[in-house]
């Protein structure tokens, strides 16, 4: 815990760890290196023409009191508490997600009746190795075919049959963000529908500046305690002597010595040949000249012919996200690095706008601007062999992995913060906080 500490990656995990270690004076010196030109990692924001957008929508919610009080302290009272509102777009209509009774009753009988029959048959599937098996057992064949199969293919670029069942924990359960809102099976959804009291979730969100405000608050604290944050510094790997880490090497060839390295950058930088990979995301941000009545924070789109998998309405996170009387929306397309959309996102702007108009989310005549961002390593891919691949990795002594990309685990912000808080006390953490 003592000596020269290097933290790689200034996302919420690296920043939290650095801030806590400095506050506890558990480092002789601490340097944080970050590939990007700003801190925040996946939880960052940007401003354009008076609009604030998050790089991917971020609702902060946690079941860990320690994490919650830490976040409140860093935001120093400058936050809002907002009720969650998610949607799913099915057969030309918006439905609440998780489904409510009124949404279910609006589903056509050809979807509803076979789903109810599936509920009676659901225990028949006993062998579960893939995400598809898991979904069939939990939600039934009908909902698998109708929503999950295409959504998964679109979102991950991989067939549900080829994904490990851990993707359910990650891609379905964590997407709800609150364990209280149980949507992990058709039976659970139905129980929720008929429960006299619908579970509601509140989340915390900075009152200005977007989700970036949390990372900026941490960076200020780190600098005020003498920690150094080096931006535009990309680590190529660690340097070692025998079995021990001696520091890191940057892509410009510079070497920075350290007694201990905490690594929250993608694990694939350190171990490129272990069969592990990430999905990347292209985001389209649109400024709209007129208010729309999109009532959700985010909405999922499973249909194959809609190009994006999710849309977000920033105004429903905090009203100051848009200038007076205006509106905005963001659409996400997940993809591999070599795909056309990754290489030339601008070419797909027109298609994104057409699809947004088709699902009733924008009026194309009132679009004031479109700006795109390409974000690397947004989701770890859990193929059928990923556990075996992860187990083949042995870290040298003095190298500690943390964070979403560093541990190759689908963390929400609170999981990354909880990991960092545990490490800052010299404790280890359970890989999965949910089980
Ligand atoms: C679209 C989207 C929506 C999300 N929505 C939510 C939500 O609603 N609620 C929620 O709680 N969580 C949400 N998350 C998850 C949340 O963003 C992450 O859990 C959290 O930000 C991860 O923080 P981290 O520090 O572990 O990793 P990261 O944010 O990935 O930080 C890693 C850092 O390392 C840097 N880096 C990478 N390579 C190098 C290198 N070679 N050298 C130096 N630095 C490097 C990166 O630039 C980055 O800053 C969402 C994520 C995405 C992608």
């Amino acid at each position: 815990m003592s000596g020269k500490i290097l933290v790689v990656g200034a996302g919420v995990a690296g920043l939290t760890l650095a801030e806590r270690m400095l506050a506890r004076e558990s480092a002789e010196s601490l340097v944080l290196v970050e590939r990007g030109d700003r801190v925040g990692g996946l939880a960052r924001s940007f401003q354009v023409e008076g609009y604030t957008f998050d790089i991917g929508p971020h609702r902060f919610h946690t079941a860990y009191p320690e994490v919650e009080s830490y976040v409140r302290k860093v935001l120093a009272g400058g936050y809002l508490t907002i009720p969650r509102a998610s949607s799913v777009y099915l057969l030309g209509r918006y439905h609440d997600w998780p489904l409510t009774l009124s949404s279910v009753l609006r589903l056509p009988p050809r979807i509803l009746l076979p789903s109810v029959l599936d509920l009676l048959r659901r225990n028949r599937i006993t062998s579960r190795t893939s995400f598809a098996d898991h979904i069939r057992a939990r939600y039934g064949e009908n909902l698998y075919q109708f929503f999950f199969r295409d959504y998964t293919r679109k979102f991950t670029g991989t067939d549900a049959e080829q994904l490990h069942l851990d993707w359910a924990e990650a891609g379905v359960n964590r997407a709800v963000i609150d364990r209280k809102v149980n949507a992990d099976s058709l039976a659970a959804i139905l129980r929720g529908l008929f429960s006299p009291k619908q579970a509601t979730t509140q989340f915390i969100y900075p009152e200005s500046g977007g989700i970036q405000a949390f990372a900026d608050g941490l960076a200020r604290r780190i600098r005020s305690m003498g920690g150094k944050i080096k931006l535009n510094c990309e680590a190529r790997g660690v340097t070692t002597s025998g079995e021990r880490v001696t520091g890191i090497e940057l892509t410009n060839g510079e070497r920075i010595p350290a007694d201990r390295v905490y690594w929250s950058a993608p694990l694939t930088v350190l171990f490129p040949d272990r069969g592990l990979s990430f999905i990347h995301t292209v985001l389209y941000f649109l400024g709209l000249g007129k208010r729309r009545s999109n009532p959700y924070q985010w909405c999922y789109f499973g249909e194959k012919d809609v190009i994006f998998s999710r849309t977000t309405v920033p105004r429903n996170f905090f009203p100051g996200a848009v200038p007076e009387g205006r509106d905005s929306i963001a659409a996400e397309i997940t993809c591999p690095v070599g795909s056309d959309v990754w290489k030339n996102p601008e070419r797909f702007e027109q298609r994104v706008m057409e699809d947004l108009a088709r699902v009733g989310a924008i009026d194309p005549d009132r679009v004031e601007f479109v700006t795109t961002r390409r974000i690397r390593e947004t989701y770890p891919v859990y193929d059928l062999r990923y556990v075996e691949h992860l187990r083949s990795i042995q870290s040298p002594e003095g190298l500690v992995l943390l964070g979403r990309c560093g541990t190759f685990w689908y963390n929400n912000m609170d999981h990354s913060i909880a990991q960092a808080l545990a490490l800052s006390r010299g404790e280890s953490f359970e890989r999965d906080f949910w089980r």
Side-chain angles (χ1 to χ4, degrees):
M1 290 288 290
S2 59
K4 292 194 179 78
I5 301 296
L6 250 174
V7 180
V8 180
V12 295
L15 289 167
T16 301
L17 178 78
E19 195 276 339
R20 283 293 83 198
M21 287 187 89
L22 288 164
R24 292 207 169 89
E25 299 182 350
S26 46
E28 184 186 307
S29 69
L30 188 144
V31 177
L32 207 158
V33 298
E34 165 56 44
R35 173 177 71 182
D37 58 4
R38 288 188 85 173
V39 297
L42 294 173
R44 41 183 220 284
S45 318
F46 69 97
Q47 277 77 29
V48 52
E49 298 184 24
Y51 292 77
T52 298
F53 292 106
D54 286 353
I55 297 285
H58 278 81
R59 301 192 289 211
F60 178 80
H61 175 85
T62 187
Y64 306 105
E66 180 194 31
V67 175
E68 174 140 1
S69 66
Y70 182 70
V71 170
R72 287 182 194 268
K73 194 166 77 183
V74 172
L75 292 175
Y79 57 82
L80 309 167
T81 305
I82 304 168
R84 171 186 54 84
S86 306
S87 288
V88 57
Y89 184 83
L90 298 171
L91 299 170
R93 280 185 171 195
Y94 288 89
H95 298 268
D96 294 333
W97 178 255
L99 294 171
T100 55
L101 191 55
S102 62
S103 292
V104 170
L105 295 178
R106 285 192 300 151
L107 287 172
R110 73 183 162 84
I111 304 298
L112 204 51
L113 296 179
S115 299
V116 171
L117 288 177
D118 278 347
L119 189 64
L120 305 174
R121 294 192 281 250
R122 73 188 192 282
N123 290 330
R124 280 200 203 152
I125 299 167
T126 48
S127 136
R128 296 187 205 176
T129 48
S130 71
F131 175 68
D133 297 339
H134 179 91
I135 293 294
R136 285 195 188 101
R138 288 282 174 140
Y139 297 87
E141 181 67 32
N142 187 56
L143 281 181
Y144 169 72
Q145 299 283 348
F146 172 61
F147 180 74
F148 288 99
R149 188 192 53 188
D150 291 348
Y151 182 81
T152 305
R153 171 89 218 158
K154 178 159 82 170
F155 190 86
T156 64
T158 305
D159 280 339
E161 309 279 357
Q162 300 305 316
L163 284 177
H164 193 279
L165 49 81
D166 280 356
W167 186 250
E169 183 71 21
V172 182
N173 297 354
R174 286 186 179 189
V176 178
I177 79 161
D178 183 357
R179 299 174 73 180
K180 206 166 63 205
V181 186
N182 191 348
D184 72 353
S185 70
L186 185 55
I189 293 176
L190 286 179
R191 268 197 306 277
L193 292 182
F194 294 105
S195 129
K197 198 165 168 281
Q198 292 284 330
T200 53
T201 302
Q202 311 256 318
F203 66 95
I204 297 177
Y205 194 81
E207 68 184 1
S208 64
I211 200 67
Q212 179 79 43
F214 177 64
D216 286 349
L218 283 172
R220 273 194 301 278
R221 290 165 85 112
I222 290 167
R223 290 187 177 113
S224 73
M225 289 186 283
K228 285 202 182 72
I229 302 178
K230 291 173 159 235
L231 299 173
N232 302 307
C233 269
E234 184 168 355
R236 178 157 49 203
V238 291
T239 54
T240 52
S241 168
E243 302 286 294
R244 236 207 112 72
V245 155
T246 54
I248 62 165
E249 184 174 277
L250 302 179
T251 46
N252 64 10
E254 188 191 333
R255 289 180 166 214
I256 309 180
D259 298 309
R260 188 173 279 260
V261 174
Y262 290 89
W263 184 279
S264 71
L267 190 58
T268 45
V269 175
L270 292 175
F271 305 100
D273 52 359
R274 300 301 169 95
L276 298 170
S277 62
F278 288 90
I279 307 168
H280 313 271
T281 302
V282 177
L283 286 126
Y284 295 80
F285 300 97
L286 285 76
L288 309 174
K290 195 172 165 228
R291 277 277 150 103
R292 304 278 312 173
S293 60
N294 298 324
Y296 49 85
Q297 280 118 23
W298 66 56
C299 179
Y300 300 103
F301 294 83
E303 289 166 24
K304 271 195 271 195
D305 57 351
V306 176
I307 191 168
F308 40 81
S309 52
R310 180 164 64 170
T311 56
T312 311
V313 181
R315 169 174 57 79
N316 295 333
F317 287 74
F318 79 110
V322 290
E324 191 59 36
R326 307 284 168 91
D327 214 338
S328 64
I329 195 162
E332 292 165 56
I333 303 181
T334 41
C335 55
V337 159
S339 64
D340 288 350
V341 74
W342 180 265
K343 285 196 277 193
N344 294 301
E346 289 75 19
R347 274 208 213 144
F348 290 80
E349 272 180 23
Q350 191 55 35
R351 168 75 195 275
V352 168
M353 286 210 285
E354 281 165 16
D355 286 3
L356 282 170
R358 194 152 52 82
V359 300
I362 64 163
D363 171 355
D365 297 335
R366 305 307 298 261
V367 174
E368 304 211 312
F369 64 83
V370 185
T371 177
T372 59
R373 296 287 186 280
R374 297 188 306 170
I375 313 300
R376 294 183 63 101
E377 290 108 5
T378 42
Y379 299 89
V381 178
Y382 293 161
D383 64 26
L384 290 175
R385 296 185 58 202
Y386 98 98
V387 175
E388 186 190 323
H389 291 144
L390 264 183
R391 287 203 179 124
S392 74
I393 288 175
Q394 283 197 328
S395 302
E397 212 184 313
L399 171 68
V400 184
L401 302 170
L402 78 153
R404 173 149 157 151
C405 296
T407 53
F408 204 75
W409 194 228
Y410 191 138
N411 284 354
N412 279 336
M413 280 185 290
D414 62 322
H415 307 106
S416 280
I417 295 166
Q419 288 180 338
L421 292 177
L423 287 176
S424 74
R425 292 191 294 265
E427 296 164 12
S428 60
F429 52 83
E430 290 291 313
R431 182 159 174 269
D432 190 348
F433 283 86
W434 284 60
R435 283 180 189 157

